């Protein structure tokens, strides 16, 4: 069982408090280069960064430099999380990733390719249905630089989020509460709420939070049912990578030298933006996963109890 992998390391509740604080500090350290660059750019333009929102700050820097510096904080967070797991919890990366004996990269690539194809198809379908909403944004040299940055750093960004929410926090809350549904719901809600400062929320309205929370729930279900993070890691990496390379907009969190730029005026989020992915597309993807990997016993895997392995119980008794 995936959550029970935490029993292989040190899992007292206070370790998770310290671990979260340590990871938060790592993220803050990773944000220093971005903060310095923005501050220097603002001074050179005679602007003040006080009172600027996230969207305004991102426009100060060249898009590729902005993306590179922004993603550094996630890379630092991932390194910090791995250090916390190894030295504070005495837990291996494999046990943080999966209940299998080793990480199944075939699962990662299956989810990556599947969602890469689906998400790319949605973008091109929308382009052909509403070509007036897009302009060609392609410039060869900036796009090549974008590809190098995105291919290296975006998987680190998405992996950090998956290892933090569907890995570290889900396992920690699971072994502490001895439940599966509490960490599933809690990590999904927190994952969604952490996106509340994104420019998309301001433009599309708070209803878009249904999409963010729903995405967290979808990834959490996939993790628990598949007993590992591999599918979530592949899906999340494909989602952010292909979006960054193919389309951008002035009101999105990722400002890139993508192939297309969405110039449509954003309004309140509707069915196609929020409800169709969460209530139609994601369940279909889960169905595909379930058939390919023969998922069974949904009730137990999502709502069952978390118990320490028998070997640990025996060791405690003998001691």
């Amino acid at each position: 069982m995936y959550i029970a992998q935490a029993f292989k390391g040190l899992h007292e509740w206070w370790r998770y408090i310290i671990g979260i604080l340590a990871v938060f500090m790592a993220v803050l350290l990773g944000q220093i280069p971005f903060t310095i660059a923005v501050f220097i750019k603002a001074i050179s333009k005679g602007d003040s960064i006080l009172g600027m929102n996230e969207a305004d700050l991102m426009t100060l820097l060249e898009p590729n430099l902005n993306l590179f510096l922004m993603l550094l904080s996630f890379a630092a967070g991932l390194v910090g999380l791995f250090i916390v797991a190894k030295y504070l919890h005495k837990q291996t990366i494999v046990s943080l990733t999966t209940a299998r004996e080793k990480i199944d990269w075939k699962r990662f690539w299956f989810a990556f390719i599947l969602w890469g194809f689906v998400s790319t198809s949605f973008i091109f379908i929308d382009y052909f249905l509403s070509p007036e909403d897009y302009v060609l944004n392609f410039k060869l040299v900036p796009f090549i630089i974008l590809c190098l940055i995105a291919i290296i750093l975006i998987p680190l960004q998405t992996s950090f989020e998956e290892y933090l929410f569907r890995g570290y926090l889900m396992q920690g809350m699971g072994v502490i509460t001895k439940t599966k549904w509490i960490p599933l719901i809690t990590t999904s809600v927190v994952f969604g709420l952490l996106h509340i400062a994104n420019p998309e929320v301001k433009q599309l309205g708070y209803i878009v939070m249904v999409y963010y929370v729903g995405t967290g729930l979808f990834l959490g279900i996939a993790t628990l049912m598949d007993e590992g993070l591999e599918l979530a890691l592949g899906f999340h990496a494909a989602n952010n990578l292909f979006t960054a390379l193919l389309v951008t907009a002035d009101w999105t969190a990722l400002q890139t030298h993508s192939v297309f730029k969405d110039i449509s005026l954003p309004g309140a989020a509707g069915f196609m933006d929020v409800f169709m992915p969460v209530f139609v597309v994601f369940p279909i993807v889960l169905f595909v996963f379930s058939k390919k990997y023969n998922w069974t016993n949904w009730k137990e895997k999502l709502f069952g109890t978390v118990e320490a392995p028998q070997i640990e119980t025996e060791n405690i008794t003998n001691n």
Side-chain angles (χ1 to χ4, degrees), residues 29-41:
L29 289 174
Q31 287 179 343
I32 291 176
F34 176 81
T35 304
I36 293 174
V38 167
F39 187 73
I40 293 174
K41 186 67 175 180

Side-chain angles (χ1 to χ4, degrees), residues 16 43 53-54 70 74 92-93 109 177 179 236 272 295 308:
Y16 288 95
I43 291 177
N53 56 36
E54 184 178 357
M70 183 180 68
F74 294 96
T92 65
I93 294 178
W109 286 113
T177 65
T179 66
H236 203 162
M272 295 296 292
W295 291 352

Side-chain angles (χ1 to χ4, degrees), residues 185-237:
I185 299 299
T186 304
T187 56
S188 301
V189 172
V190 174
F191 175 78
L193 290 177
L194 287 182
H195 291 80
I196 200 168
N198 282 18
E200 294 92 333
V201 177
K202 180 180 179 181
Q203 295 295 332
L204 302 176
Y206 287 107
I207 189 66
V208 78
M209 296 302 298
V210 173
Y211 171 78
Y212 290 122
V213 174
T215 300
L217 187 62
F218 158 73
L219 293 170
I221 292 172
T223 298
L224 290 179
M225 289 303 304
D226 201 52
E227 303 290 7
L229 283 177
E230 294 97 333
L231 295 178
L233 288 168
F235 176 96
H236 203 162

Side-chain angles (χ1 to χ4, degrees), residues 38-243:
V38 167
F39 187 73
I40 293 174
K41 186 67 175 180
I43 291 177
S44 67
K45 295 178 63 176
D47 297 332
S48 173
I49 62 175
L50 296 178
M52 285 189 177
N53 56 36
E54 184 178 357
D56 293 333
L57 291 174
M58 289 189 297
T59 60
L60 289 176
L61 302 177
E62 189 275 334
N64 279 333
L65 177 61
N66 175 78
L67 182 66
F68 173 76
L69 294 176
M70 183 180 68
L71 293 177
L72 279 182
S73 63
F74 294 96
L78 182 61
V79 172
L81 182 56
F82 285 164
I83 292 175
V84 164
K86 181 177 181 179
Y87 293 102
L88 182 61
H89 295 276
K90 307 298 182 183
Q91 186 178 9
T92 65
I93 294 178
V94 172
S95 65
L96 186 62
T97 307
T98 183
R100 288 168 275 276
E101 293 185 0
K102 60 182 180 179
I103 299 173
D104 188 347
W105 290 106
K106 290 183 179 180
R107 277 174 152 83
F108 171 90
W109 286 113
F110 177 76
F112 182 89
I113 294 171
L114 174 64
W115 190 246
F117 174 78
V118 172
S119 60
T120 300
S121 299
F122 283 150
I123 291 172
F124 280 103
I125 289 172
D126 191 53
Y127 172 76
F128 286 113
L129 291 178
S130 306
E132 70 278 3
D133 290 340
Y134 296 87
V135 294
L136 188 63
N137 191 52
F138 179 78
K139 297 176 183 177
L140 180 59
V141 174
F143 182 75
I144 292 175
I145 296 173
L146 167 64
C147 287
L148 293 175
I149 295 171
I151 291 173
I152 295 172
L153 289 181
I154 284 182
L156 297 182
Q157 175 242 324
T158 56
S159 294
F160 169 64
E161 294 184 1
E162 290 310 308
Y163 273 105
L164 178 61
F165 289 99
R166 260 64 66 178
Y168 186 70
L169 292 178
M170 184 171 284
Q171 285 189 348
M173 293 183 65
V175 298
I176 291 170
T177 65
K178 301 296 188 296
T179 66
K180 299 176 183 178
W181 68 270
I182 290 179
L184 173 61
I185 299 299
T186 304
T187 56
S188 301
V189 172
V190 174
F191 175 78
L193 290 177
L194 287 182
H195 291 80
I196 200 168
N198 282 18
E200 294 92 333
V201 177
K202 180 180 179 181
Q203 295 295 332
L204 302 176
Y206 287 107
I207 189 66
V208 78
M209 296 302 298
V210 173
Y211 171 78
Y212 290 122
V213 174
T215 300
L217 187 62
F218 158 73
L219 293 170
I221 292 172
T223 298
L224 290 179
M225 289 303 304
D226 201 52
E227 303 290 7
L229 283 177
E230 294 97 333
L231 295 178
L233 288 168
F235 176 96
H236 203 162
N239 185 73
N240 288 27
L241 178 60
F242 285 98
T243 300

